[in-house]
Amino acid sequence: MEQHSSNIPELTAREVALEPKLGNMADEFRDFCRQLAKRIAGSGNVITPEVVSCARADVSDLVSGPASNARLTLQFCASVVVDMMAQGWTLKPRRQNVILKEPNIYGATPLEIKQHIRAGHLLERDAQLREPSVVEFIKSMEQRRLNKSGWISVFSLMRDGRELAKILSATASAPNEEQRAKLLAAAVSPYVQVVETKAICPITGLRLTDIWRYFRHTWVSTYKSLPGRSMLILIRDAAATNHPVIGIAALGSSMAQQTLRDKWIGWESSTFIKQIQENPTTKWCRWVHESVERLLDAIYITDLIKDGILQKQHLAKPTEEVIQKLNAEAIKSSKLHHLDSASKDHKRNSTEKSGMKINWENQALTPLFRSKRAKTLALLLRIRLNLHKSGLADSTAISLKKTLENPDGRHAIRQLVRLVKSEHVGVDMMDIIICGAVAPYNTLLGGKLICMMLTSSEIVKFYRARYGKQASIIASSMKGDTVIRTPNLVMLATTSLYGVGSSQYNRVRVPIAEVGGTGDATLDYIELGESRGYGSYHFSKATIDYLETLIPRGAIPRKVNSIFGEGVNPLMRKLRDGLAHVGLPAEQLLMHGNKRVVYGIPIAKNFREVLLGVDLKPKYYLSLSHAEDHSAMVGAFWRKRWLSGRVARLGILEEVAKHTLTYPITHGARVQLPAEVNENA
């Protein structure tokens, strides 16, 4: 969930008072915070990995002997404090409570702000790199093994910087631009490789998932699995032996709510109402009628009719009484779901369940989906009732204009556009979760290459192949029958890691005429503004583990079961509920306060119309029939636009040459384990 930031800088940092409900352990919590504050002061008020590591050990020591719910709750609260301290918050213990003060970055330079955010990420990432299973994985990938290509390891997939710098240096003496382009193409020739679960690299014999994961561990942030729909992508270099990895990317299910993005698309309800008020056409009136009808048709109602909650004629002529009955049934079924929410009955399997075809009718009858169906049906009937009352009798522009003049009519259309959005946000767009180049390509603006490659129609083609025959779990469970939605990927969205300074997304613009398209349009990373929102990235794995321990013990009520279909972002909801239950100010602690630049990347001319359900077929800038050719041309454009000028800059090739694969290996694409791990190896 994101919250748009104002343009007025905050001159004073927020202070958050902590008074958790710990009973007779409240004094122990404050004592822990006092000792932690002393430790930080003793380190010169610098939050070092050693300080954080010792603080985590102190949290563990809060439980000795059998663990009670009260003592585990104390650990959870103490761990939250350590998390906030690790993000640079100041700790001020008082007699009755504990005050946390957020870092005041007003007046800081962009570099200082970046370093502050980076330091917070690195503390948690390095904690992950200390985990024995992660250390074992990293070392296994670096261990040499013999296959048909000879002795290989993950190092075989890294480009030797000296060799690359030598080839690129020759381009300086090219007699003309055509010859220079040929030399650059011989130096770097990128292509897309989508990571399939069981796929093996044909050159090295390594699993593609392992290759992607290894390089992901070089990122500043921690490695996490992606929920929902996802695609992992490698960009590799056909110009070198073993086709080394240039960079990695990951696309994931789009976040349900992003204010800047939603306004830009037209999903934000007030923006949408303003748009159709300015142009109340017959087309938009038909859209209202057709959207309501389609959404109603997508809901299984046999059981609701059988149980006397609904009659079929109510779909066309809803009443207040039937809407109230449906809302009551939604609440009743939701309570039943939380009483017996066996996650095994809601396994996320697109086409099979326990080796058998899913019975979608049975899935619809579960308390979870009966509740969702009743609630959604009540909302749709409320929309239809209000539309009828406000005068939307036919499909004419005059009828729509009359409806928009009525507050109830406007409200009904606002609710309708939110439901239409929910149909498309998880199917027709994706978020760029990971995107960047590894050494030595990062020095050559390889990050911009990865950005550009994601706009290729090859990505759309892979997305369709993966999800084109896959049943939608939620839609099928709501309808009681198989629902396969055509995955029309028409837009990508992303946010920068930092909200200040340069970004690899800045000035990324691909003229379609240069990459095999027609016309003068461009594939752009369009900056939509800055978001400043809520998130969970700053809560450590240790804190989440304490929370997950408390929930099954009953110390914190189980409101979230991490069952597909319950709602978006279960971790965020679980944290919010857990923090609030123990008396910590959830909304204040979840607001990380880091600005991020939001980008939208349209890859179809009519992306808005598709996302609003007006158009059924996307009009892609680049054809799917020549997708691989388009990717190759994107690579050629990157070489001309970015690589050519970059290699001519003083000192760049010297930086590239520093990444060597001779022992001892000093290469920036190698995962750098924390020093103490290497010392113990």
Side-chain angles (χ1 to χ4, degrees):
M1 180 169 61
E2 295 289 336
Q3 178 177 309
H4 186 52
S5 64
S6 70
N7 294 321
I8 303 171
E10 294 182 16
L11 304 182
T12 58
R14 279 187 302 140
E15 288 192 351
V16 180
L18 306 184
E19 298 180 66
K21 296 182 287 187
L22 292 170
N24 58 10
M25 290 187 181
D27 288 341
E28 198 168 342
F29 172 73
R30 289 190 288 271
D31 286 343
F32 170 85
C33 293
R34 290 189 191 96
Q35 293 303 316
L36 180 55
K38 287 180 182 178
R39 176 176 283 125
I40 296 169
S43 67
N45 290 320
V46 177
I47 311 298
T48 64
E50 291 73 26
V51 168
V52 176
S53 180
C54 289
R56 299 252 183 252
D58 289 345
V59 175
S60 297
D61 291 343
L62 289 173
V63 171
S64 56
S68 65
N69 284 355
R71 194 153 286 281
L72 287 169
T73 303
L74 170 63
Q75 281 186 303
F76 172 60
C77 295
S79 188
V80 168
V81 171
V82 175
D83 290 343
M84 304 307 288
M85 174 270 298
Q87 296 299 317
W89 288 58
T90 303
L91 189 59
K92 298 193 295 185
R94 294 179 176 173
R95 179 171 295 181
Q96 297 299 323
N97 61 15
V98 173
I99 301 295
L100 281 171
K101 184 176 181 180
E102 74 172 342
N104 191 345
I105 58 174
Y106 178 71
T109 66
L111 179 60
E112 289 170 338
I113 295 172
K114 275 189 174 184
Q115 288 174 337
H116 163 72
I117 297 171
R118 181 181 174 86
H121 279 290
L122 285 173
L123 285 169
E124 186 62 16
R125 188 207 66 175
D126 286 351
Q128 184 181 62
L129 290 178
R130 292 185 184 93
E131 294 175 11
S133 61
V134 177
V135 174
E136 183 180 353
F137 168 75
I138 298 300
K139 292 186 175 179
S140 70
M141 290 294 289
E142 294 179 351
Q143 185 176 358
R144 293 176 58 188
R145 64 203 75 182
L146 185 63
N147 80 345
K148 62 181 181 180
S149 302
W151 289 97
I152 61 94
S153 70
V154 75
F155 297 131
S156 307
L157 294 167
M158 298 178 193
R159 186 79 182 264
D160 186 87
R162 289 179 300 184
E163 173 260 342
L164 178 57
K166 183 178 179 181
I167 296 173
L168 290 172
S169 65
T171 64
S173 57
N176 53 54
E177 286 301 314
E178 183 180 352
Q179 188 61 31
R180 183 178 175 81
K182 287 182 179 179
L183 291 172
L184 288 172
V188 183
S189 179
Y191 67 91
V192 177
Q193 185 175 46
V194 171
V195 177
E196 301 292 352
T197 305
K198 296 181 180 180
I200 302 295
C201 171
I203 300 172
T204 63
L206 297 171
R207 290 165 60 98
L208 294 184
T209 51
D210 289 344
I211 293 170
W212 192 93
R213 178 188 169 189
Y214 178 90
F215 290 111
R216 173 64 180 84
H217 278 300
T218 65
W219 255 237
V220 170
S221 56
T222 54
Y223 166 77
K224 297 176 182 177
S225 59
L226 298 176
R229 293 188 174 195
S230 64
M231 285 175 57
L232 306 182
I233 298 160
L234 295 167
I235 305 298
R236 297 181 67 172
D237 190 351
T241 304
N242 296 333
H243 294 194
V245 172
I246 297 174
I248 65 172
L251 304 181
S253 295
S254 292
M255 65 175 72
Q257 182 71 24
Q258 213 301 322
T259 304
L260 289 168
R261 178 204 68 190
D262 292 352
K263 282 185 177 180
W264 180 66
I265 291 170
W267 277 339
E268 198 271 331
S269 57
S270 59
T271 304
F272 182 80
I273 290 293
K274 182 180 178 183
Q275 175 187 338
I276 61 173
Q277 277 181 323
E278 292 172 354
N279 187 27
T281 63
T282 300
K283 180 180 178 181
W284 280 120
C285 194
R286 282 200 306 268
W287 174 88
V288 172
H289 285 296
E290 290 169 1
S291 296
V292 173
E293 200 63 44
R294 185 184 66 255
L295 290 164
L296 283 169
D297 188 55
I299 301 176
Y300 180 80
I301 59 173
T302 303
D303 59 323
L304 299 173
I305 292 174
K306 182 180 177 181
D307 294 343
I309 298 168
L310 174 75
Q311 294 179 28
K312 201 161 187 179
Q313 60 265 32
H314 289 139
L315 299 180
K317 296 181 179 180
T319 65
E320 289 287 351
E321 182 185 4
V322 75
I323 292 170
Q324 289 175 11
K325 281 184 178 181
L326 286 166
N327 279 323
E329 181 58 34
I331 294 169
K332 176 183 172 183
S333 295
S334 178
K335 289 178 179 177
L336 284 173
H337 165 66
H338 288 292
L339 285 172
D340 184 23
S341 53
S343 60
K344 69 179 186 305
D345 292 332
H346 301 277
K347 291 291 185 183
R348 288 186 55 201
N349 241 320
S350 60
T351 56
E352 292 186 347
K353 189 176 184 179
S354 304
M356 300 175 64
K357 293 291 182 182
I358 295 178
N359 186 321
W360 292 115
E361 188 172 7
N362 286 347
Q363 193 81 339
L365 294 172
T366 61
L368 170 62
F369 283 101
R370 183 170 165 113
S371 172
K372 288 174 70 71
R373 287 186 292 114
K375 183 178 180 180
T376 305
L377 193 55
L379 177 57
L380 282 167
L381 295 186
R382 169 66 64 194
I383 290 170
R384 174 159 275 180
L385 182 61
N386 284 342
L387 290 173
H388 286 173
K389 287 180 177 179
S390 57
L392 195 71
D394 51 34
S395 294
T396 64
I398 295 173
S399 182
L400 179 59
K401 184 177 180 181
K402 182 180 178 181
T403 300
L404 290 167
E405 291 170 352
N406 185 297
D408 288 340
R410 289 196 301 273
H411 183 62
I413 294 175
R414 285 193 185 97
Q415 291 176 312
L416 181 61
V417 77
R418 293 189 191 108
L419 290 172
V420 170
K421 169 189 167 181
S422 67
E423 284 185 295
H424 295 276
V425 69
V427 179
D428 297 331
M429 63 177 292
M430 295 194 86
D431 284 350
I432 301 171
I433 310 297
I434 297 293
C435 179
V438 301
Y441 299 97
N442 55 353
T443 304
L444 300 169
L445 300 178
K448 293 190 183 293
L449 169 64
I450 312 303
C451 295
M452 291 178 177
M453 295 296 274
L454 293 180
T455 68
S456 170
S457 53
E458 198 169 3
I459 301 300
V460 176
K461 192 174 178 180
F462 282 127
Y463 181 69
R464 278 196 176 180
R466 175 168 292 183
Y467 294 109
K469 296 180 181 179
Q470 184 168 308
S472 168
I473 302 294
I474 295 178
S476 299
S477 300
M478 292 288 282
K479 189 175 177 64
D481 197 2
T482 302
V483 175
I484 298 175
R485 289 176 171 166
T486 303
N488 293 318
L489 183 61
V490 295
M491 177 187 151
L492 302 172
T494 193
T495 58
S496 62
L497 181 59
Y498 311 107
V500 294
S502 62
S503 164
Q504 69 177 0
Y505 302 123
N506 289 350
R507 296 180 294 148
V508 173
R509 184 173 295 110
V510 182
I512 62 169
E514 295 258 7
V515 294
T518 57
D520 57 0
T522 56
L523 293 162
D524 295 352
Y525 276 66
I526 300 170
E527 186 173 325
L528 306 181
E530 287 183 345
S531 72
R532 181 176 184 178
Y534 298 86
S536 59
Y537 85 86
H538 52 300
F539 288 97
S540 65
K541 181 178 181 297
T543 295
I544 304 302
D545 287 345
Y546 288 127
L547 179 62
E548 296 285 9
T549 301
L550 285 165
I551 291 172
R553 295 172 66 104
I556 292 176
R558 183 186 290 278
K559 296 182 181 179
V560 182
N561 301 285
S562 298
I563 292 171
F564 196 62
E566 271 191 331
V568 297
N569 205 333
L571 176 58
M572 178 82 91
R573 291 182 292 122
K574 199 176 291 185
L575 272 166
R576 182 181 287 108
D577 291 344
L579 291 167
H581 186 75
V582 301
L584 292 174
E587 299 306 311
Q588 293 278 5
L589 294 174
L590 285 165
M591 192 168 83
H592 52 67
N594 291 331
K595 294 179 182 179
R596 297 188 177 186
V597 181
V598 180
Y599 295 88
I601 309 100
I603 51 181
K605 301 172 189 176
N606 61 338
F607 75 98
R608 285 191 176 92
E609 289 80 0
V610 171
L611 293 173
L612 284 166
V614 178
D615 289 355
L616 297 179
K617 292 185 177 181
K619 300 173 184 176
Y620 288 112
Y621 287 112
L622 301 175
S623 71
L624 302 188
S625 56
H626 299 94
E628 293 81 1
D629 294 337
H630 291 311
S631 293
M633 285 186 270
V634 169
F637 176 73
W638 168 78
R639 288 192 296 265
K640 181 176 76 170
R641 171 67 179 85
W642 297 104
L643 181 61
S644 180
R646 188 69 172 175
V647 298
R649 289 187 60 178
L650 186 66
I652 291 298
L653 293 183
E654 287 78 6
E655 285 297 315
V656 170
K658 290 179 181 178
H659 302 281
T660 66
L661 292 171
T662 54
Y663 286 89
I665 293 173
T666 55
H667 200 288
R670 184 180 190 179
V671 176
Q672 297 299 314
L673 293 171
E676 64 270 26
V677 173
N678 288 321
E679 289 167 4
N680 295 332

